[in-house]
Amino acid sequence: MGIAPTAHVEAVDFVMLYIIAISVILLLGITATMIYFVFKYNRKKGHQPVDIHGNLWLEVIWIVIPTLLVLSMFYFGYTSFREIREIPANPYTVKVTARMWQFSFEYKNGKKTDTLYVPINTAIDLEMQSMDVNHCLYIPAFRIKEDIIYGKTNHLYFTPKQVGSYDIACAEYCGLNHSAMYTMVKVLHDNDFYKWLERPGVPLTKIQTNN
């Protein structure tokens, strides 16, 4: 398997697969039990129902096991969520402005672009604001998203671990062209990123070619 795009992708995927696996096992188990009971205990002609008395151990089992399963889901989900929300030390801040229907990104030196460029293995802080309605910055490959609320500054943190290009979408319905509100995050090696950052107007492909 390749390197995960960010540090917490594997944790998020594990939680999802864990919950799906438990759900599938319960679905198959309950369905099989129901079918078995339908044939074994179907009512025959002249059958007289018999009172069924409680079973302490059975009641304990069907209370304790589901409780433990739900608590385990909460534990894994909470630890993954805490990892995503943890503020990294000395992050590199990029200001994000959302408007109908595009994202724009501004760097510390004032450079602006409609594509998010970030250096690999660097903690990134997206400082996000909306110019009009509510939006949501969503990076599916990183398993992260955050609402961008008009009149409020929200933050989204991540540390990219693999060079590449990844989709960014708006995940909050924001009007007529919401479905077209897409851009990219491009994770670069440090030397490529800082060369691009310091040379306004020079295409990234030209900078990489000149390396």
Side-chain angles (χ1 to χ4, degrees):
M1 295 180 64
I3 301 173
T6 60
H8 57 265
V9 166
E10 292 179 353
V12 174
D13 287 352
F14 170 78
V15 174
M16 181 177 178
L17 293 175
Y18 179 70
I19 294 175
I20 290 176
I22 290 176
S23 301
V24 170
I25 291 171
L26 290 175
L27 173 64
L28 295 177
I30 293 171
T31 302
T33 303
M34 290 175 59
I35 294 173
Y36 172 76
F37 280 9
V38 165
F39 287 98
K40 182 172 178 60
Y41 297 105
N42 63 319
R43 184 170 180 175
K44 306 294 192 299
K45 186 176 181 180
H47 174 75
Q48 295 297 322
V50 179
D51 289 338
I52 299 175
H53 298 283
N55 184 307
L56 177 61
W57 283 110
L58 182 60
E59 293 176 3
V60 169
I61 289 172
W62 72 37
I63 290 173
V64 171
I65 291 180
T67 300
L68 292 176
L69 288 176
V70 171
L71 288 176
S72 69
M73 293 179 190
F74 172 80
Y75 170 77
F76 290 124
Y78 174 72
T79 53
S80 298
F81 174 77
R82 185 177 60 184
E83 183 178 338
I84 293 173
R85 304 303 297 181
E86 184 178 357
I87 301 175
N90 302 316
Y92 185 91
T93 301
V94 180
K95 293 183 178 180
V96 180
T97 301
R99 61 172 61 84
M100 295 187 289
W101 288 275
Q102 69 172 141
F103 295 104
S104 62
F105 307 95
E106 181 178 354
Y107 295 83
K108 295 179 180 180
N109 64 352
K111 186 169 185 174
K112 295 182 180 181
T113 179
D114 58 1
T115 300
L116 176 60
Y117 294 94
V118 294
I120 192 171
N121 295 324
T122 301
I124 305 298
D125 169 19
L126 299 183
E127 184 180 291
M128 306 185 297
Q129 293 182 326
S130 171
M131 297 297 291
D132 38 50
V133 300
N134 294 343
H135 300 275
C136 179
L137 192 145
Y138 176 37
I139 311 178
F142 294 179
R143 314 295 192 266
I144 54 173
K145 67 177 180 177
E146 183 68 35
D147 288 340
I148 308 175
I149 308 299
Y150 176 74
K152 180 180 179 182
T153 300
N154 279 353
H155 293 261
L156 183 61
Y157 305 99
F158 63 92
T159 302
K161 296 293 184 180
Q162 187 176 26
V163 170
S165 299
Y166 308 93
D167 289 330
I168 295 177
C170 178
E172 183 79 25
Y173 182 70
C174 56
L176 181 63
N177 292 328
H178 160 71
S179 61
M181 193 169 171
Y182 273 88
T183 185
M184 301 284 290
V185 53
K186 294 183 181 291
V187 181
L188 309 175
H189 291 293
D190 285 349
N191 57 337
D192 288 335
F193 173 76
Y194 288 106
K195 285 180 182 178
W196 168 84
L197 187 65
E198 296 167 2
R199 298 174 65 181
V202 179
L204 175 65
T205 52
K206 185 175 179 59
I207 291 174
Q208 291 176 323
T209 302
N210 292 336
N211 283 350

